[in-house]
Amino acid sequence: RILETPESLFDIDGLLYDEEREMRDVVRSYVTKHIKPEVATWFEQGHIPAKELSLALGKLGVLGMHLEGYGCAGTTAVAYGLACLELEAGDSGIRSLVSVQGSLAMKAIHAFGSEEQKQEWLPHMASGEKIGCFGLTEPDFGSDPSGMRTHAKRDGSDWVLNGTKMWITNGNVADVAVIWAQTDEGIRGFIVPTDTAGFSANLIHHKLSLRASVTSELVLDGIRLPADAVLPNVSSLRGPLTCLNEARFGIIFGALGAARECLETAIQYGRERIQFDRPIAGYQLTQKKYVDMAVELGKGILLALHLARLKDQGTLNPVQVNIGKLNSAREALSIARECRNILGANGVTLEYPVMRHMVNLESVYTYEGTNEMHTLVVGEALTGIAAYH
Ligand code: TGC
Ligand code: FAD
């Protein structure tokens, strides 16, 4: 008997409510029709039609879908997670666009913005008319953002912002940047329209990963902002880290979408590829690989669903998000590498999605907190001893 997907082994569908399955199917169908046929070309060219995609994803209803009000759908965490999984089955870059928009830029405004800021930005971002980015990382401060050098000083009622942000997803296509900066009052977030004088974005070239995603350096050169550009309701690293919890949550599901796509491809390939007069899927060594991968994929999805149910009941804590991101990124990357191996030489081309997912997952493993950072957070939770320094 051939199972439709490796997920069927675990009867994942049986754990979902009808509306969650329906929403998942809508996103899956969008990805099948509109992303999968194009994405290898976008990846090869290192270019995505970001504006068109943003509008289409807004229409699909996935931008800030888990946020309440302001044009956002207010779905459950489970629904949001499943959408991320389906989007990343297309490409991690597409899920990144959605994560950065909804879970980082919109979440920052939604959680810490004034009523006026929310009214001004969120409906346009939910519809995809306005694209957001989120500037936390700097050239010299990645895993340890607490040392950031970007700073904002008051000048009368204005703020003046200086600094450089690095590796910023959506940077060159963004209409608005949420920038985190040191101030005399602690780390604060600023809403920076990207047409403000002194703002520039430089595309990062020569990426070998997430090529279907825009990644940029942001230069903030004496940007003058009005008093109401600051997010009023947070003044510490808690601000960006709260947003990271949301985006990491999406990755817990998303990375497994990439893994599922790789595994399905490798199973299909192995059933058709004949060596030594038999399909390679018929060899015990290959079957052990499939089984080990399916077990990790299923366990990962079950963990993701458990965490999503905790989130929906309001009891998910950040350390549990660290555990989920650690597990999903690690296992998805490992699955993608093994699937690449099963495809042999064909595995190194863009004819199949596997190596594209594999190299994308290298970024997923690093961004939103590296494997080591998540390990250290969980290690501290287990032992009570912080081991970062
Ligand atoms: P620490 O001193 O422990 O805490 C500082 C303040 O933050 C609060 N806090 C949290 N709040 C919410 N959620 C969390 N998970 C939190 N963890 C800590 C904490 O209570 C404190 O608040 P307050 O009010 O008392 O000041 O912070 P630390 O400096 O020791 O840092 C801890 C560490 C290393 C875990 C943190 O810096 C970290 O997570 N580093 C990794 C950086 C990272 O993940 N960067 C991601 C950049 S964005 C990105 O990659 C986007 S990729 C594109 C895509 O998503 O597709
Ligand atoms: P570093 O922090 O220099 O780490 C290098 C290595 O050292 C890692 O293996 C790390 O785990 C290890 N290490 C560091 N400290 C310790 C320690 N104490 N103990 C043990 N090991 C340690 N950032 C944003 O703000 N916004 C974005 O939109 C964004 N998008 C991104 C898109 C892409 C494609 C990529 C690749 C990155 C993006 N980032 C973004 C940046 C990302 O969050 C950082 O790359 C990540 O946090 C790691 O920082 P770093 O690259 O400076 O590595």
Side-chain angles (χ1 to χ4, degrees), residues 121-179:
W121 290 105
L122 295 178
H124 301 294
M125 295 173 83
S127 68
E129 294 158 73
K130 301 279 182 199
I131 300 181
C133 69
F134 181 90
L136 178 64
T137 305
E138 299 188 354
D140 294 332
F141 295 93
S143 295
D144 180 16
S146 68
M148 68 175 71
R149 293 205 185 98
T150 298
H151 60 271
K153 286 203 182 310
R154 287 188 191 271
D155 182 18
S157 65
D158 289 353
W159 288 93
V160 178
L161 191 56
N162 280 286
T164 305
K165 296 290 177 182
M166 194 64 183
W167 302 111
I168 306 306
T169 301
N170 296 348
N172 277 74
V173 294
D175 301 286
V176 60
V178 172
I179 300 291

Side-chain angles (χ1 to χ4, degrees), residues 95-97 99-100 104 134 136-137 142-146 169 236-238 241-242 244-245 247-248 251 318 322 367-370 373 377 388-389:
R95 196 268 311 135
S96 259
L97 195 164
S99 289
V100 169
L104 293 180
F134 181 90
L136 178 64
T137 305
S143 295
D144 180 16
S146 68
T169 301
S236 91
L237 210 52
R238 184 174 65 81
L241 292 181
T242 299
L244 292 185
N245 291 337
R248 289 167 178 170
I251 291 175
N322 294 109
Y367 69 29
E368 295 286 359
T370 64
M373 286 305 111
V377 173
Y388 309 93
H389 303 284

Side-chain angles (χ1 to χ4, degrees), residues 252-381:
I252 296 172
F253 280 84
L256 299 172
R260 184 192 70 194
E261 185 72 6
C262 291
L263 182 51
E264 286 180 3
T265 305
I267 292 174
Q268 178 72 18
Y269 183 89
R271 288 168 50 77
E272 291 167 3
R273 175 73 179 169
I274 310 289
Q275 287 296 289
F276 302 98
D277 301 324
R278 288 181 52 202
I280 59 170
Y283 293 116
Q284 290 180 357
L285 287 176
T286 314
Q287 290 201 358
K288 177 164 172 15
K289 291 172 190 163
Y290 290 147
V291 171
D292 287 346
M293 291 190 282
V295 168
E296 284 310 326
L297 178 61
K299 280 158 60 181
I301 296 175
L302 290 174
L303 174 61
L305 271 177
H306 171 62
L307 298 179
R309 298 277 180 228
L310 292 182
K311 188 165 166 54
D312 279 329
Q313 71 190 32
T315 57
L316 181 68
N317 69 52
V319 177
Q320 291 165 331
V321 176
N322 294 109
I323 292 171
K325 200 276 181 177
L326 170 72
N327 183 66
S328 287
R330 179 178 67 194
E331 297 308 327
L333 182 55
S334 162
I335 288 171
R337 286 172 176 162
E338 189 68 281
C339 291
R340 209 295 306 150
N341 172 28
I342 290 172
L343 265 66
N346 281 315
V348 308
T349 76
L350 274 170
E351 292 300 309
Y352 294 88
V354 175
M355 186 138 170
R356 173 169 53 80
H357 281 301
M358 186 191 96
V359 292
N360 282 342
L361 287 165
E362 292 288 350
S363 285
V364 176
Y365 191 71
T366 287
Y367 69 29
E368 295 286 359
T370 64
N371 177 273
E372 288 76 10
M373 286 305 111
H374 296 296
T375 301
L376 291 172
V377 173
V378 180
E380 182 179 2

